[in-house]
Amino acid sequence: MTRAATPRRLIFRSRSARTSHHVCFACQTHHHKHIDMLGELSVHGTFRNLGPVIGSTKYLCPNCGQAMTPVGKNFRAPSKDDREAWEVARLLVDAGFIHDYTRGGMTYPTRVKDVATFLEQHRQKSEGEQLLDQWGNKS
């Protein structure tokens, strides 16, 4: 009995215009880098693109040599002089907010003092917390 051949999955560097923003929070710079893509090569030689793999490649900052952080294709870098805006961006990225898509028209905070409130309002809630919220709304 022979085993059915399975397709091979591979990661390849996109040669198209698909890029993502990467930032260095130490130097407060941003750069466009190509996105790695995940593809599947069938046993018959046909190729199928499965989509981007964000953050799979580590890029080093050309200025300081530290690892750059992927922040998504919709990231708009603040000016180099705006230290507070860079700190807000760092706090949001550290909390898992990547600028790949808009979250239902959500606007991100612009001041450091507003970040904690924003993160509390938009954090992932456990199943128990969701149940408590539902029960609290019924009273």
Side-chain angles (χ1 to χ4, degrees):
M1 180 179 206
T2 61
R3 229 166 105 182
T6 59
R8 277 187 359 197
R9 290 195 173 204
L10 51 105
I11 294 178
F12 66 98
R13 179 67 39 85
S14 170
R15 297 285 180 220
S16 67
R18 295 202 57 171
T19 59
S20 180
H21 292 247
H22 286 67
V23 298
C24 176
F25 288 112
C27 315
Q28 297 178 343
T29 58
H30 77 285
H31 301 275
H32 298 270
K33 300 291 182 181
H34 287 284
I35 298 175
D36 286 345
M37 303 295 282
L38 179 65
E40 193 172 73
L41 186 62
S42 75
V43 293
H44 304 294
T46 58
F47 182 79
R48 184 170 64 124
N49 187 350
L50 299 175
V53 182
I54 302 294
S56 62
T57 302
K58 300 292 181 195
Y59 292 106
L60 298 179
C61 176
N63 298 333
C64 68
Q66 291 187 16
M68 297 183 75
T69 306
V71 290
K73 63 182 177 132
N74 293 333
F75 180 77
R76 299 292 176 251
S79 69
K80 194 169 183 127
D81 300 336
D82 194 352
R83 293 187 184 273
E84 184 176 28
W86 277 101
E87 181 62 16
V88 168
R90 187 189 62 76
L91 291 171
L92 291 174
V93 168
D94 287 348
F97 286 88
I98 303 296
H99 297 77
D100 273 341
Y101 57 91
T102 56
R103 295 171 174 249
M106 177 190 321
T107 57
Y108 292 122
T110 56
R111 298 182 311 188
V112 172
K113 69 179 190 176
D114 299 333
V115 172
T117 306
F118 175 84
L119 293 177
E120 179 60 30
Q121 290 173 346
H122 295 93
R123 71 179 174 86
Q124 292 286 347
K125 292 186 177 183
S126 69
E127 290 181 30
E129 289 173 318
Q130 291 174 7
L131 282 172
L132 286 173
D133 287 346
Q134 287 176 359
W135 289 345
N137 291 337
K138 290 183 180 180
S139 55

